[in-house]
Structure formats: structure tokens, C-alpha cells
Amino acid sequence: MKWTGVFPAATTQFAPDLSIDIKATQDVLDALIKDGVHGLVVMGTCGENNSLEPEEKIRVLEAACEVVNKRVPIIVGISEMTTGRGVKFAKEATRIGADCLMVLPAMVYVPKENELVAHFKDIAAATDLPLMLYNNPNAYRVNIGANVLSQLTEVKNIVAVKESSPDTKRYTDLYNAFGDRYLMMAGLDDVAYEGLLLGAKGWISGLTSAFPQESVALVAALEKGDLKTALAIYRWFMPLLHLDAEHDLVQCIKLAEQIMGRGNERVRKPRYVLEGARRKEIIDMVEQAAITRPTLLSTAA
């Protein structure tokens, strides 16, 4: 498992009847790899994990492993209502060939610290794959704080934290508390630059699905120490990156993909495709970004 670079939180593509379009989903993943991303997150939030049936999750992961064919690592989301379901899918993901599990707190229920610790430990015990814990307190109403992480330090395959809190102090506070025990991954697009400067090893990104080359160029510039170039890309990208923190981020990202010719915007209920003024706002933003794309991609690789 390589942790550096850009890992788009890839979308799951649906047919007009809202069944899973396996071919279109594979095409999205293949195109992202060809554009230079360093890994893929499959069936995270943008992959509409909680809109998929258990057997569909298996089909999507099998299709992802088939098309990726070990060219880049695959991180698969473990986002379930109960710990038991999380354990079951962790075992399936291990069997199918995922490279890493991105483990969320159990959905809907807001756990106490001891319940959260037990949830992560049980899933970790079900696999020999590395685990990345997904901290997104704004979305999931629970914070994976230092107290929780201190109780997990002996679990060897819990190795990373995807940090999707807007509080960038977390990178320094967790480093000061744990040193290099936990790899940090920037997980919220509109503070990704800051996270990468503060020690995140890589960037798990939503808007990369629409603009992968620019995302790769941004991280490449940071790795070279070219902060001026990285900041120029980041400032250009920021209006779209803010969408990653919105409740309708999945619809926004899928619409952006569609505009850029990289997928379709179809989503499953309870989500609806964007309509009215919101739809026009996002279309205008994506089209503006497309016509003002940075002219420095040739120097990014």
C-alpha cells in the first residue's frame, strides 16, 4: 500500500434504471488511472456506499479490482449500520483483493468512545489488510479523537487516518500525540493544501473525479517544493473544492464529472440530481473552471 499522491473518491455509475452500470464504473476508474492518480477510493461517500445493497458492493469491488489490475492501490469503504456487517464486508473485501479498508463509524448511531474503539478493533481483527479510519465529525457526528486513537495504537493494521475535519490543527495535534504512529491523509478538499503542508502523506479527493490532472499537478508541485505553482492551482480550484464540504457533494461531483465528459450524474434516492438555481450554479462553476484551467500541467509530472 502506497500512501502518497492523489486518491480520488471515485463515483459509482448508474444506468438509466439506476441499476449499477459496471462498464461505466470501470471506465471512470480506468480514465482516472490514465490521468495519473496514485490510488483509488471505491465506495466511499462519493461512491454512494450506503445506497448499495451488500451483493452490489461485492460486484462493484470485483469490477474495480478487475479493471485496475494492480496498477494502483484500491481503498474500499466500510460504511455499515452495524459492526457485524462491517466485519462481514471487510472479510469479503479482503477475499476479493482490495489493498486497504477505509473504515467509518457505524452509520446512524452516534457511538460512545468505547463503542467506537470496539467497532474499529472488531473490523481490524477480521482482516490482515491495513485500515484507514475516516474522521468526518461534521458528517457523522462523532470525532475520532486522541482518546480513541490512544486505545488503538496496539492494533497493528490500523495504520492511517483520513482527516476530513476542517480543523487543520488536528494534523499537528495528532503528530504531537502519536508521532508517526498514524499516517495522515488529507480528506477535505478545501483544506487539502494546508493538510499536505502540515504532514498529510496524500490527498483523498472528491473533485479530482472531474479534474484529475490538476489535482495530480498540485500534489506534484508540493512534492517538488514548488509552493507557488501548487498555490496557483489551489486558488483556481477552490470554488469547486468548497463543494466537497456541502451536503449535496455527491450530486455536485457527479454533475461536474458529466460536464467534463467523465461520467453521468445519476444518483440513487434519497438523492436527486441537482435542479433549478443550484444546478445552474454548479454548471456555471464547472464551466468557468474548465475555461480557466491552469496552463502548467506539462511541468507537473
Side-chain angles (χ1 to χ4, degrees):
M1 180 67 204
K2 297 178 181 178
W3 295 96
T4 56
V6 180
F7 291 65
T11 58
T12 302
Q13 296 289 299
F14 299 116
D17 65 356
L18 298 186
S19 63
I20 294 174
D21 189 331
I22 291 293
K23 176 62 165 56
T25 299
Q26 288 183 318
D27 287 346
V28 163
L29 300 177
D30 186 57
L32 288 167
I33 295 171
K34 289 176 178 175
D35 276 315
V37 304
H38 305 90
L40 294 163
V41 175
V42 176
M43 291 183 289
T45 303
C46 294
E48 293 177 76
N49 186 304
N50 296 110
S51 297
L52 306 181
E53 298 297 325
E55 62 273 14
E56 291 179 321
K57 295 180 186 185
I58 291 172
R59 288 178 55 216
V60 169
L61 183 55
E62 288 175 340
C65 290
E66 177 184 59
V67 71
V68 172
N69 195 27
K70 297 296 182 183
R71 287 178 289 170
V72 298
I74 293 176
I75 301 174
V76 63
I78 305 291
S79 178
E80 302 292 342
M81 295 278 286
T82 67
T83 301
R85 292 179 184 178
V87 165
K88 184 175 181 179
F89 187 58
K91 291 178 179 178
E92 291 286 1
T94 305
R95 175 187 63 81
I96 292 166
D99 297 291
C100 176
L101 307 181
M102 181 178 73
V103 185
L104 283 73
M107 294 292 97
V108 181
Y109 177 63
V110 180
K112 300 178 180 69
E113 280 189 359
N114 65 318
E115 295 170 326
L116 188 59
V117 168
H119 178 74
F120 292 145
K121 282 185 174 180
D122 285 356
I123 293 174
T127 179
D128 58 359
L129 293 178
L131 270 62
M132 175 177 64
L133 308 183
Y134 182 2
N135 188 51
N136 191 337
N138 288 359
Y140 302 119
R141 300 173 294 161
V142 59
N143 186 51
I144 304 173
N147 287 342
V148 170
L149 292 173
S150 68
Q151 298 175 67
L152 297 170
T153 55
E154 300 305 316
V155 184
K156 292 183 179 179
N157 61 329
I158 296 179
V159 301
V161 175
K162 176 188 174 185
E163 187 53 62
S164 292
S165 165
D167 181 4
T168 56
K169 296 190 298 293
R170 285 263 302 178
Y171 293 97
T172 303
D173 288 342
L174 292 183
Y175 178 82
N176 286 344
F178 301 105
D180 292 323
R181 169 60 185 85
Y182 296 107
L183 294 163
M184 299 292 290
M185 298 290 283
L188 185 61
D189 281 356
D190 60 2
V191 287
Y193 179 92
E194 293 87 338
L196 290 163
L197 286 179
L198 290 169
K201 299 298 183 182
W203 177 20
I204 296 174
S205 168
L207 273 300
T208 290
S209 289
F211 291 94
Q213 295 178 22
E214 288 79 3
S215 301
V216 171
L218 191 161
V219 172
L222 281 175
E223 289 176 347
K224 294 176 182 176
D226 184 358
L227 301 186
K228 181 178 179 181
T229 295
L231 187 57
I233 299 171
Y234 193 54
R235 286 172 171 166
W236 159 82
F237 215 169
M238 185 57 75
L240 290 177
L241 297 183
H242 284 317
L243 299 175
D244 192 51
E246 301 287 345
H247 291 301
D248 59 359
L249 77 157
V250 175
Q251 296 97 312
C252 291
I253 289 167
K254 281 193 155 183
L255 178 56
E257 279 187 297
Q258 180 169 284
I259 294 167
M260 299 306 297
R262 307 190 66 90
N264 72 70
E265 66 174 323
R266 288 187 283 269
V267 290
R268 279 186 175 172
K269 293 180 181 179
R271 292 183 175 93
Y272 276 71
V273 297
L274 299 180
E275 299 175 332
R278 180 60 165 167
R279 181 181 183 83
K280 183 180 185 304
E281 176 190 16
I282 302 307
I283 290 172
D284 289 348
M285 289 172 64
V286 176
E287 290 180 344
Q288 176 65 19
I291 64 175
T292 58
R293 297 174 83 166
T295 56
L296 37 80
L297 297 180
S298 62
T299 66

